[in-house]
Amino acid sequence: MLASVKNILEEAKKNGYAIGAFNVFNMEEAQAVVRAAVKKHTPVIIQITEKTMDYAGDKVIYDVVKSVIERESAAIPIGFHLDHGHNFDIIMRAIDAGLNSVMIDASDYPLRENMAVTKRVVDYAHGRNVAVQAELGKVPHLGEMDQNPDWDKIMTNPLEAKWLVEETGVDALAIAIGNAHDFFRERAEPDWKRLEEINKLIPGTYLVLHGASDWVNHKVAEAVKRGVTCFNIDTDLRVAFNTVLCQFTHDKCTIIDPRKVMAGAREAVQGVVEKKIDLFRNP
Ligand code: G3H
Ligand code: 13P
Ligand code: ZN
């Protein structure tokens, strides 16, 4: 069933486990995530980005995902969220399409500007009963900076996090503790003390860890212990999906029914999501 992201996170936080937030771009991936959640009897969050909205059409992708959720998950709560909205326009587009949870990622701006942009989004979104995630610090993407960022400079400052949360009233915060998107090399060890400090200063805010595709058991467990409630996964799903497509599209492939290819990719993604759910549910 389509459910509130905030309620899903609240339930997880209360019970000491974490939720997987999975990026999807089409029907097959949405089905893969929902089917994994139903099989594992565990709530998840499905998320889309601006690029996916541009690719599919705002309302088209919203309706496809919503329909998959409603038709395939009668009992398991599934949240639906905009990931990495970089400006006010995309936030409005997402809310107009129907989403009840959005991320404003103004982490490229200096603190005060980040706070101002985030506050504007929170005022707009909360007035419409939409939850908001912000980002403070930098979770680098591949190709955005050199391979060895100065982690101390880009990780979340706990006192600034407290200030941002108090000033903006944001519901969730994406934190930077040495984590990175894609296959970017992460900090050798996440900054656990920093995470503890952040959690202590903003205990009522849901902490989200982006770039979690390559996070393994012990790291997930340490993060959940210190307050992380949500892990974002995209790259692992893309790899699973594309690996199947590549196998089926080599020169000697005789399959010409694309549904066979897409069904294989959907199954592969479902397998990955099931493993992640196990990891986040019992860290
Ligand atoms: O962290 C965000 C996503 O992995 C990037 O997704 O290529 O759809 O913008 P995108
Ligand atoms: P990965 O692509 O590294 O899994 O990160 C996903 C993410 O953070 C989406 O917001
Ligand atoms: Zn992210």
Side-chain angles (χ1 to χ4, degrees), residues 13-35:
K13 197 173 162 78
K14 219 168 53 193
N15 292 296
Y17 63 91
I19 295 293
F22 300 97
N23 289 48
V24 308
F25 73 97
N26 66 1
M27 178 194 77
E28 286 79 4
E29 279 207 316
Q31 287 176 322
V33 177
V34 171
R35 288 173 188 182

Side-chain angles (χ1 to χ4, degrees), residues 83-84 141 181 210-211 232:
D83 188 30
H84 290 287
H141 285 264
H181 289 97
H210 284 239
N232 277 18

Side-chain angles (χ1 to χ4, degrees), residues 87-266:
N87 53 54
F88 197 75
D89 275 359
I90 185 64
I91 298 293
M92 286 197 301
R93 273 172 59 186
I95 293 174
D96 282 350
L99 288 165
N100 69 13
S101 180
V102 294
M103 174 184 190
I104 175 67
D105 176 359
S107 61
D108 280 339
Y109 294 110
L111 176 63
R112 280 173 192 279
E113 274 155 84
N114 184 344
M115 277 170 39
V117 175
T118 300
K119 173 87 174 100
R120 184 171 173 225
V121 167
V122 171
D123 289 346
Y124 182 83
H126 281 183
R128 289 159 180 78
N129 209 16
V130 171
V132 181
Q133 177 186 142
E135 177 165 329
L136 182 64
K138 188 80 205 144
V139 181
H141 285 264
L142 202 60
E144 232 177 18
M145 43 177 75
D146 66 49
Q147 284 295 312
N148 294 306
D150 183 344
W151 290 109
D152 286 335
K153 276 207 186 116
I154 66 170
M155 287 190 290
T156 309
N157 175 314
L159 287 171
E160 290 181 359
K162 179 173 159 58
W163 191 24
L164 181 138
V165 166
E166 284 171 357
E167 287 293 314
T168 64
V170 81
D171 306 284
L173 187 67
I175 42 135
I177 55 166
N179 46 317
H181 289 97
D182 321 299
F183 294 133
F184 197 103
R185 197 177 320 128
E186 309 206 328
R187 191 173 186 261
E189 187 66 16
D191 192 337
W192 299 124
K193 281 195 75 167
R194 185 179 299 267
L195 176 57
E196 279 165 21
E197 188 68 8
I198 295 168
N199 191 37
K200 202 167 75 192
L201 291 173
I202 49 170
T205 307
Y206 304 109
L207 303 183
V208 183
L209 194 126
H210 284 239
S213 275
D214 44 8
W215 275 51
V216 289
N217 300 48
H218 81 278
K219 272 167 73 175
V220 167
E222 295 300 321
V224 173
K225 236 191 274 172
R226 293 168 173 84
V228 169
T229 307
C230 182
F231 290 89
N232 277 18
I233 305 281
D234 189 355
T235 301
D236 263 356
L237 307 192
R238 293 181 183 200
V239 170
F241 198 93
N242 281 346
T243 303
V244 173
L245 293 199
C246 292
Q247 279 162 6
F248 279 104
T249 49
H250 65 77
D251 319 350
K252 296 199 183 82
C253 180
T254 51
I255 292 176
I256 50 167
D257 182 346
R259 287 167 298 195
K260 291 196 173 141
V261 180
M262 297 299 268
R266 177 172 59 193

Side-chain angles (χ1 to χ4, degrees), residues 63-74:
D63 287 346
V64 165
V65 174
K66 179 168 177 265
S67 169
V68 169
I69 294 171
E70 285 174 345
R71 290 177 187 281
E72 300 209 14
S73 172

